Amino acid sequence: DAGVTQSPTHLIKTRGQHVTLRCSPISGHKSVSWYQQVLGQGPQFIFQYYEKEERGRGNFPDRFSARQFPNYSSELNVNALLLGDSALYLCASSLAKSGGPARETQYFGPGTRLLVL
Amino acid sequence: ILNVEQSPQSLHVQEGDSTNFTCSFPSSNFYALHWYRWETAKSPEALFVMTLNGDEKKKGRISATLNTKEGYSYLYIKGSQPEDSATYLCAFKYSGAGSYQLTFGKGTKLSVIP
């Protein structure tokens, strides 16, 4: 079975532009989470979606938005890009409600590396 | 702000050596502790999920323990091999609003020298 896939793998944008990153979860997984990892830091939680509804949001500005589609794939959108948005963006999927959220394992994709110039 | 601390930041060990590293997290509102292994240019791979104080998990040569009262978890690798070279991340879940999100430490980068 395919794991979590993300596209594109790499992206270069300039300040002020917007970007859309895409994620396809593992088949059967209904929840998708997005994380941002900047150099030298651990991944930071941005959003989680379950059944097309936002279930959680991290401490990120409104320039960041996301949505989940009926097939459970997801998009992360970032508007008015800043240099500081340069990072690896990770998507993770989970079954959700599998033994409760405590034991819910999130399975990660390889990430999209975004460079903002 | 919840802080998850991992130590050391990096270490180099010889093939065959055993090693361990630490993850510290807030002991209040504990919900779960996850360990991941992340090899360069690959996706983070889930190793363990632990929820109960005193939990011990084992997968091959890798094992982990959990102390929720004092807020730490240890990851042990017995007889390190070059293929164990990776960054090991721990991630904390807290009860309530944070029960669905992972709060990560910065990771411990392990290099195993053949």
Side-chain angles (χ1 to χ4, degrees):
Chain A
D1 282 342
V4 177
T5 58
Q6 294 186 242
S7 63
T9 55
H10 295 82
L11 203 50
I12 299 175
K13 292 285 189 178
T14 56
R15 279 177 297 176
Q17 286 189 309
H18 75 272
V19 68
T20 298
L21 310 182
R22 295 178 174 83
C23 172
S24 291
I26 292 171
S27 177
H29 284 195
K30 297 183 178 180
S31 180
V32 169
S33 301
W34 287 94
Y35 292 82
Q36 179 198 65
Q37 194 205 22
V38 299
L39 204 60
Q41 302 294 318
Q44 275 205 297
F45 174 75
I46 310 175
F47 287 110
Q48 186 178 87
Y49 275 76
Y50 172 68
E51 291 282 10
K52 296 167 284 181
E53 298 289 327
E54 182 182 300
R55 191 156 73 171
R57 183 187 181 112
N59 188 24
F60 280 80
D62 291 343
R63 299 185 296 108
F64 288 76
S65 64
R67 55 181 177 166
Q68 187 178 31
F69 298 99
N71 67 354
Y72 302 109
S73 67
S74 177
E75 284 182 354
L76 176 70
N77 295 284
V78 188
N79 292 324
L81 284 166
L82 303 174
L83 296 180
D85 295 330
S86 296
L88 180 69
Y89 289 85
L90 292 164
C91 173
S93 76
S94 56
L95 274 170
K97 296 190 176 181
S98 167
R103 293 195 171 276
E104 184 181 290
T105 296
Q106 294 186 17
Y107 297 87
F108 284 84
T112 292
R113 188 163 295 282
L114 172 66
L115 178 61
V116 182
L117 301 175
Chain B
I1 297 177
L2 295 170
N3 278 328
V4 178
E5 303 286 342
Q6 291 190 247
S7 62
Q9 285 188 345
S10 66
L11 73 162
H12 294 75
V13 300
Q14 289 291 136
E15 182 176 353
D17 287 351
S18 294
T19 187
N20 65 85
F21 10 99
T22 306
C23 172
S24 300
F25 51 86
S27 55
S28 58
N29 299 319
F30 175 84
Y31 202 48
L33 196 285
H34 294 239
W35 281 99
Y36 285 84
R37 175 170 62 195
W38 197 357
E39 295 179 65
T40 304
K42 294 188 177 180
S43 306
E45 173 198 355
L47 287 174
F48 305 116
V49 180
M50 294 185 287
T51 57
L52 298 174
N53 185 44
D55 256 354
E56 292 188 23
K57 299 280 186 179
K58 186 177 167 69
K59 184 177 181 178
R61 294 178 292 99
I62 305 177
S63 60
T65 61
L66 178 68
N67 183 324
T68 61
K69 295 187 188 304
E70 296 181 39
Y72 64 84
S73 175
Y74 292 138
L75 189 80
Y76 300 91
I77 302 179
K78 186 178 177 182
S80 302
Q81 299 297 309
E83 59 264 31
D84 296 328
S85 297
T87 295
Y88 291 83
L89 291 165
C90 71
F92 168 77
K93 280 186 181 179
Y94 60 96
S95 57
S99 62
Y100 295 101
Q101 70 185 64
L102 294 168
T103 301
F104 282 91
K106 294 182 182 180
T108 293
K109 185 172 182 179
L110 173 66
S111 300
V112 181
I113 304 161

